[in-house]
Amino acid sequence: MIRQLIARLFWAVSPWRLVVERVPDRPTLFIGAPHTSNWDFVLMLGIAWRLRIKLRWLGKHDLFTGWKGPVMRTLGGIPVDRRDPAKVVDEVIALVRTGTVFGLVITPDGTRGEHTHWKSGFYRIARATGLPLTLGYVDRTTMTSGLGPIMEVTGDVRADMDRIRAFFADKAGFAPERRVEPRLREEDLPETD
């Protein structure tokens, strides 16, 4: 109740506008992009609290050290040790398979800084669990943030990423100069039978 009141106040006074195409009605993976600023976190909480969505999110492990640890965990954080990303994917898949109902926010590593590709953990998790992707976004050019379409991944990485690219094509992020085109390294691999 308090979180929703805070979110209502935030959206009422913020220069940002909440736009929601569809609220998921079952567990989903939320893709948060373009992830170009730590302010994306505030917008993510504003969306989740306003729509009463129970979220979990992945964050680098050093966000969970000291006094920040309990706060970040209370806000739904799951620490990620980037030295072993495959372990994180396996842990998330195991958590989903326990039947715990939540939406998992992933800002594909590689969306901030000098990168040319997104990391594919979100795609591998979606394939392994059957969870759909809900495309969440931040767009400074329109001062909007929210939820776009919900899509099932098909296993055709290039075709699925084409759909994701089409949605994010006109989204600039909070800091547009940091935006990275949604592309996975797996798209560049030769197809195998």
Short mmCIF file of all heavy atoms in Angstrom, two decimals, residues 30-71:
data_model
loop_
_atom_site.label_atom_id
_atom_site.label_comp_id
_atom_site.label_asym_id
_atom_site.label_seq_id
_atom_site.Cartn_x
_atom_site.Cartn_y
_atom_site.Cartn_z
N PHE A 30 11.34 -9.43 -17.40
CA PHE A 30 11.27 -8.06 -17.86
C PHE A 30 12.64 -7.67 -18.39
O PHE A 30 13.65 -7.81 -17.71
CB PHE A 30 10.92 -7.11 -16.71
CG PHE A 30 9.53 -7.23 -16.21
CD1 PHE A 30 9.23 -8.08 -15.15
CD2 PHE A 30 8.51 -6.49 -16.78
CE1 PHE A 30 7.94 -8.20 -14.68
CE2 PHE A 30 7.21 -6.61 -16.31
CZ PHE A 30 6.93 -7.46 -15.26
N ILE A 31 12.69 -7.20 -19.63
CA ILE A 31 13.92 -6.68 -20.19
C ILE A 31 13.88 -5.18 -20.00
O ILE A 31 12.97 -4.50 -20.49
CB ILE A 31 14.05 -7.00 -21.70
CG1 ILE A 31 14.01 -8.51 -21.91
CG2 ILE A 31 15.32 -6.39 -22.29
CD1 ILE A 31 15.06 -9.28 -21.16
N GLY A 32 14.83 -4.63 -19.26
CA GLY A 32 14.89 -3.19 -19.04
C GLY A 32 15.95 -2.59 -19.94
O GLY A 32 17.14 -2.86 -19.78
N ALA A 33 15.53 -1.80 -20.91
CA ALA A 33 16.48 -1.24 -21.87
C ALA A 33 15.93 0.07 -22.45
O ALA A 33 14.73 0.31 -22.34
CB ALA A 33 16.75 -2.25 -22.99
N PRO A 34 16.71 0.86 -23.08
CA PRO A 34 18.16 0.89 -22.95
C PRO A 34 18.55 1.26 -21.52
O PRO A 34 18.02 2.21 -20.95
CB PRO A 34 18.59 1.99 -23.91
CG PRO A 34 17.41 2.32 -24.76
CD PRO A 34 16.21 1.89 -23.98
N HIS A 35 19.43 0.48 -20.94
CA HIS A 35 19.90 0.71 -19.57
C HIS A 35 21.15 1.58 -19.65
O HIS A 35 22.24 1.09 -19.88
CB HIS A 35 20.19 -0.61 -18.89
CG HIS A 35 20.65 -0.48 -17.48
ND1 HIS A 35 20.16 0.46 -16.61
CD2 HIS A 35 21.58 -1.18 -16.78
CE1 HIS A 35 20.75 0.35 -15.44
NE2 HIS A 35 21.62 -0.65 -15.53
N THR A 36 20.97 2.87 -19.48
CA THR A 36 22.07 3.82 -19.67
C THR A 36 22.38 4.65 -18.44
O THR A 36 23.29 5.47 -18.46
CB THR A 36 21.74 4.79 -20.82
OG1 THR A 36 20.57 5.54 -20.48
CG2 THR A 36 21.51 4.04 -22.13
N SER A 37 21.62 4.45 -17.35
CA SER A 37 21.79 5.28 -16.17
C SER A 37 21.26 4.55 -14.94
O SER A 37 20.36 3.71 -15.05
CB SER A 37 21.02 6.59 -16.35
OG SER A 37 20.90 7.30 -15.13
N ASN A 38 21.79 4.91 -13.77
CA ASN A 38 21.26 4.35 -12.53
C ASN A 38 19.86 4.86 -12.23
O ASN A 38 19.14 4.27 -11.43
CB ASN A 38 22.20 4.64 -11.37
CG ASN A 38 23.49 3.83 -11.48
OD1 ASN A 38 23.51 2.75 -12.06
ND2 ASN A 38 24.56 4.37 -10.94
N TRP A 39 19.44 5.95 -12.87
CA TRP A 39 18.07 6.45 -12.71
C TRP A 39 17.05 5.45 -13.25
O TRP A 39 15.88 5.48 -12.85
CB TRP A 39 17.89 7.81 -13.40
CG TRP A 39 18.50 8.91 -12.60
CD1 TRP A 39 19.68 9.56 -12.85
CD2 TRP A 39 18.00 9.47 -11.38
NE1 TRP A 39 19.92 10.50 -11.88
CE2 TRP A 39 18.91 10.47 -10.96
CE3 TRP A 39 16.86 9.25 -10.61
CZ2 TRP A 39 18.72 11.22 -9.81
CZ3 TRP A 39 16.67 9.99 -9.46
CH2 TRP A 39 17.59 10.96 -9.07
N ASP A 40 17.49 4.55 -14.12
CA ASP A 40 16.59 3.50 -14.62
C ASP A 40 16.01 2.69 -13.47
O ASP A 40 14.87 2.23 -13.52
CB ASP A 40 17.33 2.57 -15.58
CG ASP A 40 17.88 3.27 -16.80
OD1 ASP A 40 17.45 4.40 -17.09
OD2 ASP A 40 18.76 2.69 -17.47
N PHE A 41 16.81 2.51 -12.41
CA PHE A 41 16.38 1.75 -11.24
C PHE A 41 15.17 2.42 -10.58
O PHE A 41 14.20 1.75 -10.22
CB PHE A 41 17.54 1.64 -10.25
CG PHE A 41 17.23 0.84 -9.02
CD1 PHE A 41 17.13 -0.54 -9.07
CD2 PHE A 41 17.02 1.48 -7.80
CE1 PHE A 41 16.85 -1.28 -7.93
CE2 PHE A 41 16.72 0.74 -6.66
CZ PHE A 41 16.64 -0.64 -6.71
N VAL A 42 15.22 3.73 -10.43
CA VAL A 42 14.11 4.48 -9.83
C VAL A 42 12.85 4.32 -10.68
O VAL A 42 11.76 4.08 -10.15
CB VAL A 42 14.48 5.97 -9.66
CG1 VAL A 42 13.29 6.79 -9.18
CG2 VAL A 42 15.67 6.12 -8.72
N LEU A 43 13.00 4.45 -11.99
CA LEU A 43 11.86 4.29 -12.89
C LEU A 43 11.30 2.87 -12.82
O LEU A 43 10.08 2.67 -12.83
CB LEU A 43 12.24 4.66 -14.32
CG LEU A 43 12.56 6.16 -14.52
CD1 LEU A 43 13.25 6.40 -15.85
CD2 LEU A 43 11.30 6.99 -14.40
N MET A 44 12.18 1.88 -12.72
CA MET A 44 11.74 0.49 -12.62
C MET A 44 10.90 0.29 -11.36
O MET A 44 9.82 -0.31 -11.39
CB MET A 44 12.95 -0.46 -12.59
CG MET A 44 12.57 -1.92 -12.34
SD MET A 44 13.96 -2.97 -11.86
CE MET A 44 14.33 -2.39 -10.22
N LEU A 45 11.38 0.81 -10.22
CA LEU A 45 10.60 0.69 -8.99
C LEU A 45 9.27 1.42 -9.11
O LEU A 45 8.23 0.92 -8.65
CB LEU A 45 11.40 1.24 -7.80
CG LEU A 45 12.60 0.42 -7.34
CD1 LEU A 45 13.29 1.11 -6.17
CD2 LEU A 45 12.21 -1.00 -6.97
N GLY A 46 9.29 2.60 -9.74
CA GLY A 46 8.05 3.35 -9.93
C GLY A 46 7.02 2.57 -10.74
O GLY A 46 5.83 2.58 -10.42
N ILE A 47 7.49 1.89 -11.77
CA ILE A 47 6.59 1.07 -12.60
C ILE A 47 6.04 -0.10 -11.79
O ILE A 47 4.83 -0.33 -11.73
CB ILE A 47 7.33 0.54 -13.85
CG1 ILE A 47 7.70 1.69 -14.79
CG2 ILE A 47 6.48 -0.50 -14.59
CD1 ILE A 47 8.70 1.30 -15.87
N ALA A 48 6.94 -0.84 -11.14
CA ALA A 48 6.53 -2.03 -10.39
C ALA A 48 5.58 -1.68 -9.25
O ALA A 48 4.56 -2.35 -9.05
CB ALA A 48 7.76 -2.75 -9.85
N TRP A 49 5.92 -0.65 -8.49
CA TRP A 49 5.09 -0.29 -7.35
C TRP A 49 3.74 0.24 -7.80
O TRP A 49 2.72 -0.03 -7.19
CB TRP A 49 5.80 0.71 -6.46
CG TRP A 49 7.01 0.15 -5.76
CD1 TRP A 49 7.49 -1.12 -5.83
CD2 TRP A 49 7.89 0.85 -4.90
NE1 TRP A 49 8.62 -1.25 -5.06
CE2 TRP A 49 8.89 -0.06 -4.48
CE3 TRP A 49 7.95 2.17 -4.45
CZ2 TRP A 49 9.91 0.31 -3.61
CZ3 TRP A 49 8.98 2.53 -3.58
CH2 TRP A 49 9.95 1.61 -3.16
N ARG A 50 3.70 1.01 -8.87
CA ARG A 50 2.44 1.56 -9.36
C ARG A 50 1.50 0.47 -9.87
O ARG A 50 0.30 0.49 -9.67
CB ARG A 50 2.70 2.58 -10.48
CG ARG A 50 1.46 3.19 -11.09
CD ARG A 50 0.73 4.04 -10.04
NE ARG A 50 -0.49 4.62 -10.57
CZ ARG A 50 -1.70 4.05 -10.45
NH1 ARG A 50 -1.83 2.90 -9.83
NH2 ARG A 50 -2.76 4.64 -10.94
N LEU A 51 2.09 -0.54 -10.55
CA LEU A 51 1.29 -1.62 -11.14
C LEU A 51 1.15 -2.83 -10.22
O LEU A 51 0.57 -3.84 -10.62
CB LEU A 51 1.90 -2.04 -12.47
CG LEU A 51 2.00 -0.93 -13.53
CD1 LEU A 51 2.73 -1.44 -14.77
CD2 LEU A 51 0.63 -0.39 -13.87
N ARG A 52 1.73 -2.74 -9.02
CA ARG A 52 1.70 -3.83 -8.03
C ARG A 52 2.29 -5.13 -8.59
O ARG A 52 1.72 -6.21 -8.47
CB ARG A 52 0.29 -4.08 -7.54
CG ARG A 52 -0.27 -2.95 -6.73
CD ARG A 52 -1.63 -3.28 -6.20
NE ARG A 52 -2.12 -2.16 -5.40
CZ ARG A 52 -3.14 -2.24 -4.60
NH1 ARG A 52 -3.81 -3.36 -4.47
NH2 ARG A 52 -3.53 -1.18 -3.91
N ILE A 53 3.42 -5.00 -9.23
CA ILE A 53 4.12 -6.16 -9.79
C ILE A 53 5.22 -6.56 -8.82
O ILE A 53 6.03 -5.72 -8.43
CB ILE A 53 4.74 -5.83 -11.16
CG1 ILE A 53 3.65 -5.47 -12.17
CG2 ILE A 53 5.59 -6.99 -11.65
CD1 ILE A 53 4.18 -4.93 -13.49
N LYS A 54 5.23 -7.82 -8.42
CA LYS A 54 6.29 -8.32 -7.54
C LYS A 54 7.52 -8.60 -8.40
O LYS A 54 7.51 -9.49 -9.24
CB LYS A 54 5.86 -9.60 -6.83
CG LYS A 54 6.90 -10.12 -5.87
CD LYS A 54 6.43 -11.36 -5.15
CE LYS A 54 7.54 -11.85 -4.22
NZ LYS A 54 7.14 -13.06 -3.52
N LEU A 55 8.55 -7.78 -8.19
CA LEU A 55 9.75 -7.89 -9.02
C LEU A 55 10.93 -8.42 -8.26
O LEU A 55 11.10 -8.16 -7.07
CB LEU A 55 10.16 -6.51 -9.55
CG LEU A 55 9.37 -5.88 -10.66
CD1 LEU A 55 10.04 -4.59 -11.11
CD2 LEU A 55 9.21 -6.82 -11.82
N ARG A 56 11.75 -9.13 -8.99
CA ARG A 56 13.11 -9.47 -8.57
C ARG A 56 13.99 -8.92 -9.68
O ARG A 56 13.56 -8.78 -10.81
CB ARG A 56 13.28 -10.99 -8.46
CG ARG A 56 12.35 -11.70 -7.50
CD ARG A 56 12.56 -11.39 -6.04
NE ARG A 56 13.91 -11.57 -5.56
CZ ARG A 56 14.40 -12.69 -5.03
NH1 ARG A 56 13.62 -13.74 -4.90
NH2 ARG A 56 15.65 -12.77 -4.63
N TRP A 57 15.22 -8.58 -9.36
CA TRP A 57 16.12 -8.03 -10.37
C TRP A 57 17.54 -8.49 -10.07
O TRP A 57 17.89 -8.79 -8.94
CB TRP A 57 16.04 -6.51 -10.44
CG TRP A 57 16.16 -5.82 -9.11
CD1 TRP A 57 15.14 -5.55 -8.23
CD2 TRP A 57 17.35 -5.34 -8.49
NE1 TRP A 57 15.63 -4.95 -7.12
CE2 TRP A 57 16.98 -4.79 -7.25
CE3 TRP A 57 18.69 -5.32 -8.86
CZ2 TRP A 57 17.91 -4.23 -6.37
CZ3 TRP A 57 19.62 -4.76 -7.99
CH2 TRP A 57 19.22 -4.22 -6.76
N LEU A 58 18.32 -8.56 -11.13
CA LEU A 58 19.71 -8.96 -11.01
C LEU A 58 20.58 -7.72 -10.94
O LEU A 58 20.39 -6.78 -11.71
CB LEU A 58 20.13 -9.80 -12.23
CG LEU A 58 19.33 -11.07 -12.49
CD1 LEU A 58 19.82 -11.75 -13.75
CD2 LEU A 58 19.42 -12.01 -11.30
N GLY A 59 21.53 -7.72 -10.00
CA GLY A 59 22.46 -6.59 -9.87
C GLY A 59 23.85 -7.09 -9.54
O GLY A 59 24.01 -8.16 -8.95
N LYS A 60 24.85 -6.30 -9.93
CA LYS A 60 26.23 -6.72 -9.66
C LYS A 60 26.43 -6.88 -8.15
O LYS A 60 25.89 -6.13 -7.34
CB LYS A 60 27.22 -5.74 -10.27
CG LYS A 60 27.06 -4.31 -9.89
CD LYS A 60 27.99 -3.45 -10.71
CE LYS A 60 27.72 -1.98 -10.39
NZ LYS A 60 28.55 -1.11 -11.17
N HIS A 61 27.22 -7.88 -7.79
CA HIS A 61 27.33 -8.31 -6.40
C HIS A 61 27.81 -7.21 -5.46
O HIS A 61 27.44 -7.19 -4.29
CB HIS A 61 28.24 -9.55 -6.29
CG HIS A 61 29.67 -9.27 -6.58
ND1 HIS A 61 30.15 -9.16 -7.87
CD2 HIS A 61 30.73 -9.07 -5.77
CE1 HIS A 61 31.45 -8.91 -7.83
NE2 HIS A 61 31.82 -8.85 -6.57
N ASP A 62 28.58 -6.25 -5.95
CA ASP A 62 29.07 -5.21 -5.03
C ASP A 62 27.98 -4.23 -4.60
O ASP A 62 28.16 -3.47 -3.66
CB ASP A 62 30.30 -4.48 -5.59
CG ASP A 62 30.11 -3.91 -6.98
OD1 ASP A 62 29.16 -4.31 -7.67
OD2 ASP A 62 30.92 -3.06 -7.36
N LEU A 63 26.80 -4.26 -5.24
CA LEU A 63 25.66 -3.47 -4.77
C LEU A 63 25.10 -4.03 -3.47
O LEU A 63 24.33 -3.37 -2.78
CB LEU A 63 24.53 -3.47 -5.81
CG LEU A 63 24.70 -2.62 -7.05
CD1 LEU A 63 23.54 -2.88 -8.02
CD2 LEU A 63 24.75 -1.15 -6.70
N PHE A 64 25.48 -5.26 -3.13
CA PHE A 64 24.91 -5.96 -1.98
C PHE A 64 25.88 -6.04 -0.81
O PHE A 64 25.67 -6.82 0.11
CB PHE A 64 24.47 -7.36 -2.41
CG PHE A 64 23.37 -7.33 -3.43
CD1 PHE A 64 23.65 -7.17 -4.78
CD2 PHE A 64 22.04 -7.45 -3.04
CE1 PHE A 64 22.63 -7.13 -5.72
CE2 PHE A 64 21.02 -7.42 -3.98
CZ PHE A 64 21.31 -7.25 -5.32
N THR A 65 26.92 -5.23 -0.82
CA THR A 65 27.89 -5.24 0.27
C THR A 65 27.50 -4.22 1.33
O THR A 65 26.85 -3.21 1.04
CB THR A 65 29.31 -4.94 -0.24
OG1 THR A 65 29.31 -3.66 -0.89
CG2 THR A 65 29.79 -6.01 -1.21
N GLY A 66 27.91 -4.49 2.57
CA GLY A 66 27.67 -3.56 3.68
C GLY A 66 26.20 -3.29 3.92
O GLY A 66 25.34 -4.15 3.76
N TRP A 67 25.90 -2.06 4.29
CA TRP A 67 24.53 -1.66 4.63
C TRP A 67 23.58 -1.74 3.43
O TRP A 67 22.36 -1.88 3.61
CB TRP A 67 24.51 -0.23 5.18
CG TRP A 67 24.93 0.81 4.17
CD1 TRP A 67 26.19 1.28 3.95
CD2 TRP A 67 24.08 1.47 3.22
NE1 TRP A 67 26.19 2.19 2.93
CE2 TRP A 67 24.91 2.34 2.46
CE3 TRP A 67 22.73 1.43 2.94
CZ2 TRP A 67 24.42 3.13 1.44
CZ3 TRP A 67 22.24 2.23 1.92
CH2 TRP A 67 23.09 3.07 1.19
N LYS A 68 24.15 -1.69 2.21
CA LYS A 68 23.29 -1.72 1.01
C LYS A 68 22.66 -3.09 0.79
O LYS A 68 21.58 -3.18 0.19
CB LYS A 68 24.11 -1.33 -0.24
CG LYS A 68 24.65 0.07 -0.22
CD LYS A 68 25.47 0.34 -1.47
CE LYS A 68 26.73 -0.49 -1.44
NZ LYS A 68 27.66 -0.23 -2.53
N GLY A 69 23.30 -4.14 1.25
CA GLY A 69 22.82 -5.50 1.01
C GLY A 69 21.37 -5.72 1.43
O GLY A 69 20.53 -6.12 0.61
N PRO A 70 21.03 -5.47 2.71
CA PRO A 70 19.65 -5.69 3.13
C PRO A 70 18.64 -4.80 2.38
O PRO A 70 17.54 -5.24 2.06
CB PRO A 70 19.67 -5.35 4.63
CG PRO A 70 21.09 -5.51 5.03
CD PRO A 70 21.91 -5.17 3.83
N VAL A 71 19.03 -3.57 2.08
CA VAL A 71 18.14 -2.66 1.35
C VAL A 71 17.88 -3.20 -0.05
O VAL A 71 16.73 -3.28 -0.51
CB VAL A 71 18.73 -1.23 1.28
CG1 VAL A 71 17.90 -0.34 0.36
CG2 VAL A 71 18.86 -0.63 2.67
#
